[in-house]
Every structure is written in structure tokens, then in C-alpha cells.
Amino acid sequence: MPEQNSNKNEWPLWEVFIRSKAGLDHKHAGSLHAIDAQMAIENARDVYTRRMEGVSIWVVESKHVHASDPDSSGAMFDPASDKIYRHPTFYDLPDELTHM
Amino acid sequence: MTVRDFQQAFDEKIDREIAIEPRDWMPDNYRKTLIRQISQHAHSEIVGMLPEGNWITRAPSLRRKAVLLAKVQDEAGHGLYLYSAAETLGITRDEMYEQLHTGKAKYSSIFNYPTTSWADMGAIGWLVDGAAIMNQVALCRTSYGPYARAMVRICKEESFHQRQGYEILLQMSKGTEIQRKMVQESINRWWWPSLMMFGPSDDNSPNTEQSMRWRVKRFTNDELRQRFVDVTVEQCNILGMKLPDPALKWNEERGHYDFGEINWEEFWNVVNGNGPCNKERLDARTKAWEDGQWVRDAALAYSEKRKERSKKETKAA
């Protein structure tokens, strides 16, 4: 998440998410400055979809995004690493068995 | 963790090619180097609109005009991607603008040369964007995540810039004697400044070693410059034109073209503000910023008014 020095006259920063085509999820594309949500969407169209990269845009003010702490990501994501039985390849099955 | 632990974790990530992201710990100098490099890069995109903007109203056909407009709009977009990437490092947009407008920040020297004929639109696309692409493709794998992602986006869009430029020259080179002369003169003007775009030679580039260590840079200035010369010679032959360098010659042993010495005095002169258009470019940027103040003020006032109105409506309801 961009860490902004506060600057009174600067327009707020927004994060832009774009759905590239119907059926796919919105993906983070980048950020931009705008005075309000409507302007953020219009600017996002001009900045991030000049070549039909999107069919839908979400914007959210950067200050509303909360993120996990990268320095504690070890502890944060550790519980998953010792549970390999959650993956299908953990199970020993005969080669003849197909379509499973 | 102590600073030393953080440093060690950072070094390991770099060695293992794991991207550094905005909230990760990073050494101060890594941050500073990136802010300098990314903001310079952003400024170059923004100032880079000016030499081409010069020809929008005089493009020779509607097709060329539409293309040039789209290209200049792309440059604005590229500037914005890069400013956003730099902002993730903790500098504000306004701080960067101020550095540009006060002359504290640099931008690519190439944009301090004038565009005196339509053929220059071709030469800029072919040579200047070609040199930029050479640099930018290498930066798609730079170690700082937001910078690398911006570069990927930019590279996808740049390819049309180079091709449209080459097409302009190709068409003119099949034209009249006067048109062919315009092409050759334009190549003569832009060749050497394009080679200078890769920056000082390796033995005069004190930051290169550290940037390579940090994987901010993937190749040295001279490596990229050589690569550019090697691919461009052939492209020039197809145009039936000559690159203005009598020393240019295939070197069988090296497997590369040899080329003449760059005029470094000219290079440093332009870098230090004494190029043909340095003042004009900065004046144009500063004027655009100042003339736009009322728009920014109006947008701010409008948003305040709307917020007030929606507060009242909520109360009334």
C-alpha cells in the first residue's frame, strides 16, 4: 500500500481494480489521484484502459485499504505450510485410477 | 529484528530474485535511488510529450494526426504509471512536480532537442523510442515490484510508438528527393543524442555497480547501447539511409558493431541545462502547471460542495 505523506492540496490517492472481461475477477491495476470516486473512475478509464483492457472498474481510496504486515508474513502464513494433506497430490493412489 | 537482520533478509530476497514490495523493509539508499530513477523516468515521459506536441497541429494527414495524438496520450499515461510507482516509496506527487519545475530533478536529455521537421516525428519514434524500449525491456525485471509492473505495462504500449515512427520514415524514404533528404537530415540529428540516452559510459557511471547489485539495473549503460546499435544498423539499411558515423563497422571478432566516440561534452552540457531547449521545456511545464491551478481549485471546491450537500441530505432524511 502506498504510504502517503499527507499533503493538504493534493488530491487523494485511489487504488484501481479492473475486470478485463466478463467472467474474470477485478485485478489491481495501479493507482491515481482524483478528487472523488467519479473522477477516479473516469481517470482510471483514461489511464488504465486505453486499449480495451477492461469492461468494469472499481476504485477505492488508498487510505481505506488495510494490509497484512510483510515483516510478520512468516508467522501469518505459517499455519498452512505443514498441512500438505490439503493438496490432492498428498494421496497415494494407483496409476490405473483415472479421472480423479 | 535488528537492522542487520533486515538487511540480511533484504539481500537474500534480492539474490533469490524475490521482488521488493512497497511495505517491505529496504535500505535507505535503495529507496532513494529508486525514487530518483523512477521520478526521472516519469518526468521524461511527461516532458517527452512536448517535442511531439509541437507537430500535432501540423501532422500531414488525419491518420498521422490521430496516431500522434494517441502516442502523446500514451506518454502522459506512462508518466502517471511511473509517478504512482514512485509514490509507493513515500514521496508525494506534488513533491515530484516541484522537483521538476524547480529544475532540481533531471529528465532524459533527449527531450531538450528541437523537432524541426515532420521527419523528426519518425526519427523520434524509431530511434528515441527504440532506445527507450531497449532500456525499458530490461527494467521489466527490475527488483522493485511496482516499478517492474509499470514497466511491463509501458513496454506493451511502446511497441506501436516505434513502429509508427519507422513507418513515417519508410514512407518518406520512398518519396521525393526532398523527402529523402529530410529523412537523412533527421537521422543525422537524432542518432547521437539517441546513443546518449543510455547515459554515461560504464567507467563514468558511479551508480551502476550498486544498481546492478540491487538488481535495479540488469544491464550496464554500455551493454544496452551496444545492443541498440546492433539492431538499429540493419533497420537503417532497410530505409536506405546512412547512420552519421564513419567509424561504424561490423567487428567479426566481437560479434558487434564498433562505433565512434560519443561527444560527452555535449552530453554533459545538455544534462546540466544548456541544451537547445532546456529552458523552453521547463517553462512549458511550469506554465501548464500554473495555468491548471484554477482547475484543481475548482475540482476541490466542487467536491467540498458535494460532500456538504450529501451531509445535509442525510440530516434532512
Side-chain angles (χ1 to χ4, degrees):
Chain A
M1 210 38 44
E3 284 179 25
Q4 277 284 108
N5 299 345
S6 66
N7 183 331
K8 259 194 136 179
N9 294 319
E10 205 171 82
W11 293 351
L13 191 66
W14 299 74
E15 299 302 317
V16 177
F17 300 83
I18 292 175
R19 183 200 295 282
S20 57
K21 64 177 195 183
L24 297 181
D25 43 15
H26 286 76
K27 201 175 153 207
H28 186 238
S31 49
L32 49 75
H33 289 273
I35 204 73
D36 58 21
Q38 190 194 342
M39 189 198 266
I41 289 173
E42 284 164 7
N43 286 359
R45 177 201 55 196
D46 293 344
V47 178
Y48 291 105
T49 65
R50 286 193 304 283
R51 288 176 177 76
M52 296 182 297
E53 288 95 336
V55 294
S56 162
I57 296 173
W58 287 352
V59 294
V60 58
E61 232 187 296
S62 307
K63 68 178 182 195
H64 295 311
V65 177
H66 301 265
S68 62
D69 175 8
D71 294 327
S72 54
S73 63
M76 174 93 171
F77 298 104
D78 176 58
S81 65
D82 60 350
K83 296 181 181 65
I84 50 170
Y85 45 83
R86 282 179 170 155
H87 296 278
T89 47
F90 176 75
Y91 300 92
D92 249 338
L93 298 177
D95 291 345
E96 312 79 280
L97 189 74
T98 53
H99 301 298
M100 182 179 278
Chain B
M1 292 221 285
T2 66
V3 170
R4 184 185 291 201
D5 296 333
F6 280 123
Q7 176 74 50
Q8 200 180 354
F10 174 85
D11 290 341
E12 272 173 28
K13 271 195 208 161
I14 295 284
D15 289 340
R16 291 170 52 210
E17 302 274 340
I18 296 174
I20 307 300
E21 293 294 341
R23 284 164 43 103
D24 293 347
W25 186 91
M26 61 187 86
D28 281 347
N29 276 333
Y30 178 81
R31 187 184 296 278
K32 269 188 213 147
T33 299
L34 278 168
I35 288 179
R36 197 192 60 228
Q37 184 172 333
I38 302 173
S39 64
Q40 275 182 14
H41 200 157
H43 297 327
S44 302
E45 299 282 353
I46 297 300
V47 177
M49 291 191 281
L50 298 170
E52 291 175 309
N54 183 36
W55 281 92
I56 289 176
T57 55
R58 290 174 289 158
S61 70
L62 193 55
R63 178 180 186 271
R64 294 289 182 212
K65 187 174 183 148
V67 168
L68 191 55
L69 269 171
K71 179 175 191 289
V72 171
Q73 194 191 7
D74 272 355
E75 314 292 3
H78 297 174
L80 294 175
Y81 305 155
L82 288 161
Y83 280 130
S84 306
E87 280 171 273
T88 64
L89 291 157
I91 187 168
T92 67
R93 186 74 58 99
D94 283 355
E95 282 171 322
M96 286 186 275
Y97 285 160
E98 199 200 306
Q99 289 176 355
L100 175 65
H101 297 156
T102 55
K104 190 181 162 219
K106 302 269 185 248
Y107 53 85
S108 183
S109 289
I110 193 86
F111 302 118
N112 291 318
Y113 290 86
T115 44
T116 53
S117 87
W118 170 252
D120 287 355
M121 295 303 97
I124 286 184
W126 173 42
L127 296 173
V128 176
D129 289 291
I133 290 170
M134 200 54 86
N135 225 335
Q136 289 169 342
V137 167
L139 285 170
C140 289
R141 289 171 54 239
T142 192
S143 58
Y144 187 57
Y147 191 23
R149 291 192 287 275
M151 267 0 287
V152 169
R153 201 180 286 278
I154 288 172
C155 283
K156 273 188 200 157
E157 300 182 349
E158 283 282 351
S159 171
F160 119 67
H161 295 185
Q162 192 182 19
R163 293 171 67 100
Q164 66 85 34
Y166 193 80
E167 192 198 59
I168 289 174
L169 295 185
L170 191 63
Q171 194 176 12
M172 289 180 80
S173 73
K174 292 173 183 161
T176 63
E177 202 43 50
I178 292 172
Q179 285 174 315
R180 292 182 53 76
K181 192 165 165 247
M182 276 169 77
V183 173
Q184 186 60 60
E185 282 173 358
S186 182
I187 293 171
N188 293 351
R189 276 198 303 277
W190 291 95
W191 173 246
W192 289 105
S194 299
L195 291 190
M196 294 177 197
M197 285 175 69
F198 295 94
S201 61
D202 293 348
D203 41 6
N204 277 314
S205 176
N207 301 326
T208 292
E209 198 188 330
Q210 180 62 74
S211 286
M212 297 280 283
R213 167 73 192 90
W214 280 332
R215 318 249 164 129
V216 170
K217 271 186 168 181
R218 293 288 179 162
F219 301 95
T220 69
N221 297 351
D222 285 337
E223 283 168 347
L224 291 170
R225 186 165 17 238
Q226 179 71 60
R227 212 180 275 189
F228 176 70
V229 172
D230 290 347
V231 299
T232 309
V233 172
E234 203 40 51
Q235 296 169 352
C236 190
N237 291 340
I238 296 173
L239 289 177
M241 295 291 152
K242 280 211 161 53
L243 294 172
D245 180 359
L248 193 69
K249 194 166 166 264
W250 178 252
N251 182 325
E252 192 67 53
E253 206 175 307
R254 291 200 311 127
H256 292 291
Y257 281 93
D258 289 337
F259 54 97
E261 183 69 17
I262 287 169
N263 182 345
W264 294 112
E265 198 187 325
E266 177 185 329
F267 172 79
W268 289 114
N269 246 324
V270 184
V271 168
N272 291 324
N274 304 316
C277 299
N278 292 56
K279 188 172 179 311
E280 190 185 328
R281 300 292 184 236
L282 265 195
D283 287 350
R285 279 316 310 157
T286 316
K287 182 175 184 305
W289 178 250
E290 285 167 359
D291 289 354
Q293 184 62 48
W294 73 269
V295 179
R296 295 190 295 278
D297 290 343
L300 196 63
Y302 179 64
S303 104
E304 294 297 328
K305 195 173 91 181
R306 288 222 303 191
K307 268 184 220 156
E308 279 305 310
R309 190 178 296 161
S310 82
K311 258 190 223 161
K312 270 185 206 155
E313 278 165 12
T314 329
K315 263 187 203 161

